[in-house]
Amino acid sequence: MEIIRLKVKNESDLYNPFDADGKMLSEDVRNYIMEKLRLCKLSNGIETRIITDAEIDSDKIEKTLREWSEREETYVKKTYRRNLLQQCIMFAIGVAFIALSLVIQADIPIVVYTVLSTIGAFSIWEACSIWIVKNPELRFKKRMLKVMRDNSTVRIVREDQEQ
């Protein structure tokens, strides 16, 4: 099991200070966990070890972590679907412009032909950029969040007991 060690002075450090209900993780904690998840071997599960001398409700923080990972995973899925739609549209536009430039090539000036084929090429390039750069990152983030949601535990450890 991979361990994410998180040191806090008190329980309020874990939560967003603007959240009246005290159920939303602070941005610093979320960013720290995501950075640590990138370095973890996800197949073994995750233990979030909170190191502190303060009293912390482990059930509350575990529930908060699960809810955060579920919300974040839903957002990532929506972003992935939006990227997929954008990728298909850009590819279709690119193919249409290149096909149009080839079909009417003989009847138009070379400048117009070049502009049409360039628009087509850039549209296809943008579709490939989404496919090659953006979507793999989203798939990896979705996988990290799924492990955090389904295969993680929280353990509170006193500062003097930490190895």
Side-chain angles (χ1 to χ4, degrees), residues 116-127:
L116 290 175
S117 59
T118 303
I119 290 172
F122 278 120
S123 295
I124 290 173
W125 172 255
E126 186 62 30

Side-chain angles (χ1 to χ4, degrees), residues 131-146:
W131 178 55
I132 293 170
V133 177
K134 292 181 183 178
N135 285 349
E137 175 66 25
L138 287 173
R139 283 192 300 270
F140 183 65
K141 188 172 182 181
K142 186 173 110 178
R143 187 169 157 247
M144 289 188 303
L145 291 164
K146 184 177 184 331

Side-chain angles (χ1 to χ4, degrees), residues 73-86:
E73 188 178 3
T74 300
Y75 174 76
V76 167
K77 285 178 183 178
K78 286 179 183 178
T79 303
Y80 186 82
R81 282 194 300 268
R82 187 179 62 240
N83 281 357
L84 188 61
L85 177 64
Q86 185 180 17

